Amino acid sequence: QQQVKQSPQSLIVQKGGISIINCAYENTAFDYFPWYQQFPGKGPALLIAIRPDVSEKKEGRFTISFNKSAKQFSLHIMDSQPGDSATYFCAASIGTGANNLFFGTGTRLTVIP
Amino acid sequence: GAVVSQHPSWVICKSGTSVKIECRSLDFQATTMFWYRQFPKQSLMLMATSNEGSKATYEQGVEKDKFLINHASLTLSTLTVTSAHPEDSSFYICSAPLAGIGADTQYFGPGTRLTVL
């Protein structure tokens, strides 16, 4: 059973555009929501994370929007660049990010010049 | 940030042999490490939680006798794939959590690509 659902499966965006990836969860015990970026043949790297006490968190060009009532959260990549082309995973855990992470299915982002 | 290494980065072995993969936290101690498996173009699936000084905890459907985990020290966990078969070919990734005030995230290793012929 997929505890975190992610969409779209793939995304193509033009350079300079906004990339938006959405995730939804069912388990209301989740209280830590990170996003990871993975390049081919590499392990995932933490991009940005949020807790349910805030509705938005921004770090540089990356923003997480969080809707607790809808149990949804999304990643927005502003001014997308070809170097952002990678697979993005949302995840969720209970308590802290040091606990078991439940990953979404991943979104393969391609930014075209 | 914290660094987690894995060795080897890739390995090819014959069917029926065993392969050991090491996961090390280089600049911090980790009493817990996680082992994931990732098939091409798919998500990471948690296989087991490695605990220093005690037995590993396996996820449902993961054969503990096939995937042996040893957490020998606070910086090293090993995954041994015993009697490997072609269906075990996959990308194996470990992670180590760094927990504490202001720091509660997992750091992932670069992964190990296993190909069983």
Side-chain angles (χ1 to χ4, degrees), chain A residues 2 9 32 34 36 38 41-46 51 89 95-106 108, chain B residues 32 34 36 38 41-46 49 59 91 93 95 97-99 104-111 113:
Chain A
Q2 191 70 38
Q9 190 174 16
Y32 178 77
Y36 284 85
Q38 185 180 30
K42 304 294 182 183
L46 178 68
R51 290 198 175 274
F89 292 96
T96 104
N99 292 336
N100 288 13
L101 284 170
F102 294 89
F103 282 88
T105 48
R108 180 177 290 242
Chain B
T32 299
F34 299 97
Y36 296 84
Q38 185 178 34
K41 299 183 181 181
Q42 293 190 25
S43 189
L44 287 79
M45 298 302 297
L46 180 66
T49 302
E59 295 301 301
F91 194 50
I93 309 173
S95 72
L98 179 62
D104 59 351
T105 192
Q106 285 191 36
Y107 292 90
F108 285 80
R113 172 77 58 194

Side-chain angles (χ1 to χ4, degrees), chain B residues 1 12 14 19 23 31 35 39 65 68 78 81 83 99 108 112:
Chain B
I12 302 173
K14 292 183 178 181
V19 173
C23 177
T31 56
W35 287 95
F39 290 106
D65 294 331
L68 300 179
T78 60
V81 183
S83 187
F108 285 80
T112 296

Side-chain angles (χ1 to χ4, degrees), chain A residues 1-17:
Chain A
Q1 182 184 1
Q2 191 70 38
Q3 297 225 26
V4 180
K5 297 182 179 179
Q6 184 173 346
S7 64
Q9 190 174 16
S10 62
L11 180 62
I12 300 174
V13 173
Q14 285 221 304
K15 179 182 175 181

Side-chain angles (χ1 to χ4, degrees), chain A residues 2 15 17 20 25 36 55 68 81 99 101 109-110 112:
Chain A
Q2 191 70 38
K15 179 182 175 181
I20 302 174
Y25 63 97
Y36 284 85
S55 61
K68 187 174 181 178
Q81 299 296 314
N99 292 336
L101 284 170
L109 171 65
T110 302
I112 52 178

Side-chain angles (χ1 to χ4, degrees), chain A residues 26-43:
Chain A
E26 286 298 323
N27 189 346
T28 54
F30 287 144
D31 57 0
Y32 178 77
F33 303 91
W35 283 89
Y36 284 85
Q37 178 188 57
Q38 185 180 30
F39 292 103
K42 304 294 182 183

